[in-house]
Amino acid sequence: MGGESKAKVSSTLPQLSSKPVGAKIHNIYRDRLNVFTGDNQYSKKNLRSMLDEGRATGNDYVKLSVYSVPDLARPSFKEATSHEFKPANVGDSFGPSWSTHWWKIHLKVPAELTKKEHLEFHWDADNEGLVWTEDGEPLQGLTGGGERIEWIIPKAWRDGKEHLFYIEMACNGMFGNAVGDSIQPPDPNRNFQLQKADIVAVNLEARALYIDFWIIGDAAREFPNDSWEEHEALVVANEIVDTFVEGSQESILEGRKIAQRYLGKDVDSAKVYETDQQPIVYAVGHCHIDTCWLWPWAETKRKVARSWANQCDLMDRYPEHRFTCSQAQQYKWLETYYPSLFDRVKAKVKKGTFQPVGGSWVEHDTNMPSGESLVRQFLYGQRYFESHFGERCTTFWLPDTFGYSSQLPQLCRLAGMSRFFTQKLSWNNINNFPHTTFRWVSLDGSQVLCHMAPAETYTAEAHFGDVNRSVTQHKSMDQDSTSLLIFGKGDGGGGPTYEQIEKLRRCRGLSDKIGRLPRVKMGDSVEDFFDRLEKKAQDGTDFVTWYGELYFELHRGTYTTQANNKRNNRKSEILLHDLEFLATLASIKDTIKGEKASYTYPKKDIDDMWENVLLCQFHDCLPGSAIEMCYDDSDELYAGVFELGEKLIKDTLSALGISEYDATSKDQIYGFNSLPWARAEILKLPGSHKSGAAPGYGLAAAEGSGVVSIKNLDERSAAIGTASIKEIEGGVFLLSNDEYKIQVESGHITSLYDVKARREVVPKGSKANQLVIFDDKPLYWQAWDVEVFHLESRKELPAGKTEIAEQGPNRVSVVTETKISEESWIKTTISLAASIAGQTSYVAMESEVEWRESMKFLKVEFPVDVRNTEASYETQYGIVRRPTHYNTTWDMAKFEVCCHKWADLSEHDYGVSILNDSKYGFATCGNLMRLSLLRAPKAPDAHADMGRHHIRYAILPHASSLSATTVRTAFEFNNPMKLISLSSDAANSTATSSPDLFTAITVTGSKSLILDAIKRGEDDEDVSRGELRKRKGKSIIVRVYESMGGKSKGRITSTLPVKSVYRCNLLEDDEEEQQEQKEEEEQEVEAGNKEEAAKGVTSKSKSWDIELRPFEVATFRLQL
């Protein structure tokens, strides 16, 4: 500028080009990466050739002998090792499916391997196994098929001596024994060949480079092609390939140095997580073990031991490893069958590295269990965790269940849990669920903080892509960007592997060194993650809300598959309700008289029954998606529940001065009502003792729970109408009582006229009770799914001849047999009982079905002259309303839904309810109500639902909108009064003639309030089994819920010597003392409330007012 000159600086770039250099062809250099580490034609030349430094096998170093267990038994270590072992070799085959073979292995490390850095024993028979010490300590599980085949040989075994250990071989793969497609029925005759039994010196640096290269290669493959991070990954990876020299350890070490340019220097230890950089992905190890699925329960017990032993081992090697696992049942199995391993787990729990989660007995289905069953899942689960580990769970954990009931948030809060984790809705096959982290709100307004892993899996492989998807698929970034990454082999067990933990270290190193990949962290727990979310909510973050059920848009067939299993569930729930009610009364009857107790509450037996029922509610058992062996097991468990339950009820009735009905006895017959409200029922009575006498009917009219005298209906009163039947034309029958006139033709109801409402229920030209059958071939998941296109294959079943079965006057019925196919038929009885004043009447159907179909779906339809854009369905402790139209894909997705005892379609002042005794699948399309009866999938159980079935359902028209009448009538339909016998002395005794004991606890007020359970307090000193601190005295637990969706007031009244009443949670912690009503208030009630007077409210009664929110569940302790 100023004219001065500057000295020229010589360029470092040579003036002349020495050679041509081309740009790297991107895809070729990227594809090259797979060649370097792949199991391919170059395996003996690429990095794989350096993974081992030496190997020894054969009888000189690995001496094998085996005991093959007969009869598919699974003996204990002590029993198995007491038998003779026979010599065996690599290459031998073993079977059949589900058999067990115990291996005795004498191992001697050869001299040339004793100085090697790291020795492993590699065992692969393509099936699962468990390594045991010579002394019978389980050490580690083996998966087979190339996965988790290694067991680290103790350094002390490098002494040149022979050492003994055992492997328990299970002849099943991680996913059972199907050949090819894993969900097909298992092959009972599989054999497994022992392919490998080697001592291996592992080159740890080469193994580490293999994982370095894995993650750098993923970055080159998965980062955007136009990003510098992707290009840098490709450059670094190719430089490692170029540096590698076969057989050169120096090239391995140099390759690791090159990798540090992309991954950082701390990836070989937990130090990689010790930075100031804030993570947003929190990785927690998990092992989802289906309690039964493609294997039976007996195999699950071993899967638990194999999987959890692996995790204890990994915790010793990786200080950052945190492992979380749910299902109290699995912990109890470990405690029972593997006590030393359980102690090891318990020590890890105390240390904080092994973290129980979930708070439930199993990871259960939430669609079909009753409300009380859901309560007991939490009660038994939380009590187990508290009694064995000193803490309750605060996070409900259901990653794999097929939809989530609308009342779960309320029950979670009442069970001490404010958080919920799942991911299953990512499987929806119609709509994409819109949230990741949100507040899930129950029918009563209770809420939990819910997180659905954005990686959309609970079995992540801890790949680069899993970490990346934890942000790219996160749908709640506006409120919070953090997420859980739940990783580890699952479904069939196994859990995290060392490779997965190593990969996560490198992912974190990459994030800190290069960026772009979300920063992941190990070392935190699930509770730590939710603690931060709750703190954020407390500080003002307004997480989005989702009200009501989390409907799963897949696996809708599980409401119907394995019908008898579902029937057993419903019947066992009812049995336990009755047993606990009766046992409670029997256990206090002497106490209230001031006498020594003559009856002991059968707590252990009740616990055993409940635990078995809860086990059968596992999310692949109750839904019907397991193999046939699982239903053989559940049938056996249910049979035991029914046998024990019936015995206990018999004992309990005896303690109350009552006998079960005995046809050979001359004692007087009575009815027994186990429901807590007034009801009347026409009971079919047995014939007289004279041979050939026809059965008769009697009227049992109960004012509440307890013994009911039966009136002879030969002498009718104005309160009891008559039922009549006549054939009005050929094959057309008219069934009538005071409420309905029903026309039946060929098994179809062509007219149902409501006399009092003067209204026709069945639209003109339509047919109710129409049996229909559909082709049922879903896209893949046979037992699980029914797809929307099955509706297009609807075919009406033509009915056969209809005949009169009963003539009245107490009950009339017609029976029709319908041929389904050459091998299948259904015989349906339509009946109408005489009407009873003040009692709801309904049209009942009872079907006997012989079902031998393949991939068909049987349903029954009820077109009704009612219009509404929503139908109502009973769920646990409440009602779910769902669309009857297909306006949107969200509406259409609900073409098959779950209901409990009833479904209802109502308009203003009129509606129709369909009741059932054991069914859960339903649909309402427009004005067509459709109850699902039977399916016939062929996988994973080839014989699912084949055989005989008994089904009851009913039509209940009502001249009002939906009301508590439907709720209570459905209870009555599922709980018919039972026949009992009383001797003359017993009938005249105070204990049985007085209603005081059976009506000693009542709930009055709003009809929507349902007294659903009466039981003894878990920790009462005369009941407790010692798991937790005993509570002095005796108490009675009473559970009430509001059933209709409105704030409701009522009153608990008791004639028992109640000292105090506490409102408590589901875990029976006292929370708030209830105030007893004053004497003048009680007198006002006695004067003005006939219902209470009828139920035994006297000057000796005590009362406590209650008020429940819409659909609220309330639990009370009555302390005696």
Side-chain angles (χ1 to χ4, degrees), residues 286 288 363 396-404 420-428 432-433 435-436 438 450-460 473 475 484-486 491 550 552 555 619:
H286 177 53
H288 181 70
E363 288 187 14
F396 187 33
W397 186 270
L398 280 186
D400 193 32
T401 295
F402 312 149
Y404 303 95
F420 177 51
F421 174 83
T422 186
Q423 63 79 50
K424 197 65 176 182
L425 267 62
S426 66
W427 286 39
N428 279 4
N432 190 5
F433 190 77
H435 308 305
T436 292
F438 59 98
C450 181
H451 181 73
M452 295 189 183
E456 298 185 349
T457 181
Y458 52 91
T459 59
Q473 295 180 168
K475 303 166 188 169
L484 280 173
L485 175 62
I486 305 303
D491 290 333
L550 293 173
F552 184 39
H555 294 1
H619 69 252

Side-chain angles (χ1 to χ4, degrees), residues 653-672:
L653 289 173
S654 178
L656 294 168
I658 302 169
S659 301
E660 288 187 321
Y661 171 71
D662 182 354
T664 64
S665 171
K666 295 183 179 180
D667 292 342
Q668 191 171 347
I669 301 174
Y670 286 78
F672 185 81

